[in-house]
Amino acid sequence: MGTNLFQWLFTDPVQAGSNGNLPGAEPFHFLWPWLIFCLAGLLIAFYYSVEGRKRFVRNKPVLKYMFDRYLGWFAVICFIGLPLIGARVLLDGYFFAWRFWRYLWLLALVVWAVMWVVYLVRKYPADKANYAAYQRRQQYIPKSNKRKVRSASR
């Protein structure tokens, strides 16, 4: 039972179905979970960019920076996933229906998740502490009075 990984990754579903003695193309079992995941990811990123920044992280610049950075990339990954799913469903015998593209997309998703977890574990506590120290320093710096500046310039 020797399987050729290269052939398995780069075979279109029609050819894989004929190699597996199937009457048609190889079935795609993960259409709905992937489609729901990509659409939910785009919806979350859209909601955050429209309303979530104002509602949830208005006064928390460290969280705003983190969500802006990582949800932006998450939206890009989900947006790229939609044409890959569509190519697998509608373009059975063509280039983008290969398994390779879906596994490359999944690898990008895993890399994104690992980068976010590493940021949360390593950098986020330090960034949060730096911002808290900055706020403590700012309370001792006197605020300028804009009225005096305006009246002096007249």
Side-chain angles (χ1 to χ4, degrees):
M1 183 178 146
T3 59
N4 186 353
L5 180 63
F6 185 79
Q7 182 182 3
W8 184 77
L9 283 174
F10 296 101
T11 301
D12 61 277
V14 173
Q15 186 68 30
S18 67
N19 289 346
N21 296 327
L22 297 174
E26 180 183 42
F28 184 48
H29 302 289
F30 301 109
L31 170 66
W32 290 109
W34 281 35
L35 194 60
I36 290 169
F37 177 80
C38 287
L39 291 175
L42 286 174
L43 186 65
I44 288 168
F46 177 74
Y47 177 77
Y48 171 76
S49 67
V50 171
E51 182 67 25
R53 291 182 86 221
K54 292 181 254 178
R55 180 175 288 186
F56 300 122
V57 293
R58 181 184 327 163
N59 298 326
K60 301 171 185 146
V62 178
L63 279 176
K64 187 183 282 189
Y65 166 75
M66 178 185 66
F67 284 137
D68 285 349
R69 183 175 174 192
Y70 290 103
L71 283 180
W73 277 109
F74 184 60
V76 168
I77 290 171
C78 287
F79 185 74
I80 290 171
L82 289 174
L84 290 177
I85 294 168
R88 172 56 184 92
V89 172
L90 300 174
L91 304 173
D92 284 359
Y94 295 99
F95 180 67
F96 286 109
W98 293 349
R99 289 182 187 103
F100 169 75
W101 298 112
R102 294 188 308 275
Y103 284 101
L104 185 65
W105 178 82
L106 190 61
L107 178 67
L109 186 64
V110 168
V111 166
W112 170 83
V114 167
M115 286 176 54
W116 196 2
V117 168
V118 165
Y119 177 79
L120 284 173
V121 170
R122 289 189 179 174
K123 286 189 171 186
Y124 179 72
D127 287 349
K128 190 175 176 181
N130 285 340
Y131 184 70
Y134 171 76
Q135 283 184 322
R136 279 193 302 274
R137 282 193 310 267
Q138 290 300 318
Q139 72 184 6
Y140 296 110
I141 297 175
K143 305 286 187 247
S144 65
N145 190 353
K146 293 181 182 177
R147 291 184 201 170
K148 288 182 182 179
V149 174
R150 287 185 190 164
S151 64
S153 64
R154 288 185 184 179

